[in-house]
Amino acid sequence: MNTKITTYNMVRAINNLPKNKNYNYINPRTPGLIHIEEIVMPAGPIYIKRWNPNKGEAYENAKREPISSEMMWRIANAVSNNEPINIDRILGASYNTRSVFESLLAHTPEFYYCYPGRIQDIDGKSTIEKGHKHIIWRPDKPHQNAVLEELKIENMAISEIPIRSVTYENLILPSSMTVGGDLDISVVRRHTQIQIALYLIGLQLGYRTWIAQNDKGIIYNDKPLIQQSGIITELSSDDNVVSRNPEAVPAAAFIDCIWFQNHRFMPAVMEVEHTTGVTSGLTRMKGLQDAIPAFSTRFVIVAPDEDREKVIYEANREQFRCLDARFFPYSSVEELYYICTHRNLHGVNQEFLDCYMEKVLV
């Protein structure tokens, strides 16, 4: 059973809807009609026309509008199997085609619309109020294509906890990372933010962290990263599983992030692949595995949520299957980072990490 969906899946499903018909909105009080004009495969945009016959509008005069790939990825990242989601809450006031996309999605076989109850807490009293419209993904129980179908969930209620934000403190990149490089500064910064999150997760879990040799000039929270608590400054001089094998030191030097525990364990070897090819990270990790073949660890690709299919494909290539690689999506990194930094997380075991790092070997 699938537990995650991607924009590619959603675009394919909408592409399978008949193109010669007009579609209604989920809310029957919304009199407008929607027509699919064009779908750019594999991940959009989707071009539509929408109009309101009650206002004398017609298809011929309707404006052609895009449903952006960015919006679809934001929704895909929020979807989990059999869990209702509120599109308006996810997107806020952004994207004026959000209700159009929601309606088209609900016409595809794996999505239903529903009205779960809403838990309301006021002055110490809890009540179940009438819920808002949600959509819910049920890949194991598809309905007829091109039909809106409501899922009755009378005994389900939603507690809408506040959405939390992840904050990265003052982050300054060294000139070697920002001048003369091939990557856009925003790309380098996002890559570095994830490295910082991984370091802070490791610190909270009691791990010491190696950050790639060429990234040690980063300034985080007004202090060089190399001077931060829990950062390993030299692999060769530190007593750990890598330093005991001279061939492993150069193999590990440029890996983005490695966690060490008690000088004897290496819970995870991680490569952050923001826009570069996944293959380069897998190759570096394979080099480390070859240098210490008898040692057990997690080899992890950390990448944007939308790169899941690419990670699975590359990790299953014959030369990389021996890594038994994991996928650690950005959303899971930042969820764990938030928990670690706001809930003083401690005392967890190794299996806890497996809840966040998906095995991708097919």
Side-chain angles (χ1 to χ4, degrees):
M1 182 188 300
N2 292 330
T3 57
K4 289 298 293 180
I5 195 170
T6 67
T7 296
Y8 307 119
N9 303 135
M10 296 192 299
V11 170
R12 280 197 296 267
I14 292 174
N15 192 49
N16 287 332
L17 293 174
K19 309 299 190 300
N20 59 350
K21 66 173 291 184
N22 300 326
Y23 293 92
N24 296 311
Y25 288 86
I26 295 175
N27 189 340
R29 295 192 297 273
T30 303
L33 296 173
I34 305 164
H35 191 272
I36 301 170
E37 293 290 294
E38 180 188 356
I39 298 178
V40 179
M41 301 296 288
I46 295 173
Y47 293 92
I48 56 93
K49 283 188 175 183
R50 53 178 169 173
W51 66 99
N52 185 349
N54 292 357
K55 294 183 178 180
E57 298 171 355
Y59 165 79
E60 291 76 17
N61 300 322
K63 183 174 69 173
R64 178 179 158 109
E65 300 177 76
I67 299 173
S68 72
S69 299
E70 179 188 17
M71 183 190 76
M72 291 189 285
W73 275 119
R74 286 184 62 179
I75 293 173
N77 292 340
V79 172
S80 293
N81 187 10
N82 213 36
E83 292 186 12
I85 63 167
N86 185 315
I87 297 294
D88 288 335
R89 191 163 187 260
I90 293 168
L91 300 178
S94 304
Y95 307 103
N96 62 12
T97 56
R98 59 188 182 275
S99 60
V100 175
F101 181 65
E102 176 187 53
S103 299
L104 291 177
L105 203 57
H107 278 88
T108 65
E110 294 184 356
F111 280 89
Y112 296 73
Y113 69 95
C114 59
Y115 294 89
R118 177 170 52 90
I119 301 174
Q120 182 171 282
D121 292 311
I122 297 178
D123 195 24
K125 297 179 181 179
S126 294
T127 58
I128 306 296
E129 304 296 328
K130 182 178 179 180
H132 303 298
K133 170 171 51 67
H134 288 62
I135 60 172
I136 185 168
W137 181 49
R138 306 189 81 200
D140 54 328
K141 294 184 179 179
H143 62 76
Q144 183 181 344
N145 192 35
V147 173
L148 285 172
E149 187 163 330
E150 181 179 359
L151 178 67
K152 300 291 186 180
I153 46 176
E154 297 177 0
N155 295 320
M156 181 183 287
I158 301 289
S159 177
E160 295 182 337
I161 61 173
I163 297 174
R164 301 298 187 182
S165 298
V166 168
T167 302
Y168 294 96
E169 301 290 349
N170 184 28
L171 179 62
I172 301 174
L173 306 180
S175 58
S176 60
M177 295 177 68
T178 60
V179 179
D182 295 329
L183 295 179
D184 182 88
I185 178 59
S186 62
V187 172
V188 176
R189 182 172 295 277
R190 186 60 174 143
H191 179 282
T192 306
Q193 286 169 341
I194 296 298
Q195 277 182 292
I196 294 294
L198 293 171
Y199 153 62
L200 292 172
I201 291 168
L203 188 66
Q204 186 64 46
L205 297 180
Y207 303 151
R208 293 177 308 126
T209 300
W210 167 258
I211 294 291
Q213 184 171 297
N214 50 327
D215 295 335
K216 292 295 179 61
I218 296 167
I219 305 295
Y220 180 68
N221 205 14
D222 300 322
K223 188 176 180 181
L225 190 57
I226 200 169
Q227 297 177 14
Q228 301 278 349
S229 174
I231 289 288
I232 294 172
T233 57
E234 292 288 341
L235 278 174
S236 57
S237 59
D238 188 81
D239 180 23
N240 59 61
V241 295
V242 169
S243 64
R244 294 166 202 159
N245 187 329
E247 294 182 2
V249 172
F254 294 98
I255 288 177
D256 286 323
C257 183
I258 305 176
W259 284 336
F260 294 94
Q261 183 182 28
N262 299 334
H263 301 281
R264 295 184 296 120
F265 303 109
M266 195 162 59
V269 175
M270 294 169 284
E271 277 288 322
V272 181
E273 301 294 348
H274 189 59
T275 58
T276 54
V278 174
T279 306
S280 59
L282 291 167
T283 300
R284 279 190 290 273
M285 293 192 294
K286 179 66 166 61
L288 180 58
Q289 186 188 57
D290 290 343
I292 45 175
F295 196 83
S296 176
T297 187
R298 296 173 182 81
F299 292 101
V300 184
I301 292 292
V302 183
D305 295 56
E306 57 266 29
D307 287 348
R308 180 176 180 270
E309 291 187 359
K310 180 167 66 175
V311 172
I312 292 174
Y313 175 80
E314 296 293 345
N316 277 277
R317 291 170 62 180
E318 189 60 36
Q319 64 267 43
F320 300 129
R321 289 183 62 83
C322 56
L323 292 172
D324 190 17
R326 317 286 182 104
F327 174 50
F328 197 4
Y330 281 8
S331 62
S332 294
V333 172
E334 294 189 322
E335 177 185 344
L336 183 54
Y337 169 51
Y338 182 88
I339 293 172
C340 284
T341 54
H342 289 74
R343 293 289 182 260
N344 193 28
L345 190 68
H346 63 280
V348 300
N349 57 25
Q350 289 290 321
E351 287 73 23
F352 175 78
L353 292 176
D354 296 330
C355 300
Y356 289 88
M357 300 175 179
E358 176 190 2
K359 281 196 170 190
V360 296
L361 197 62
V362 177

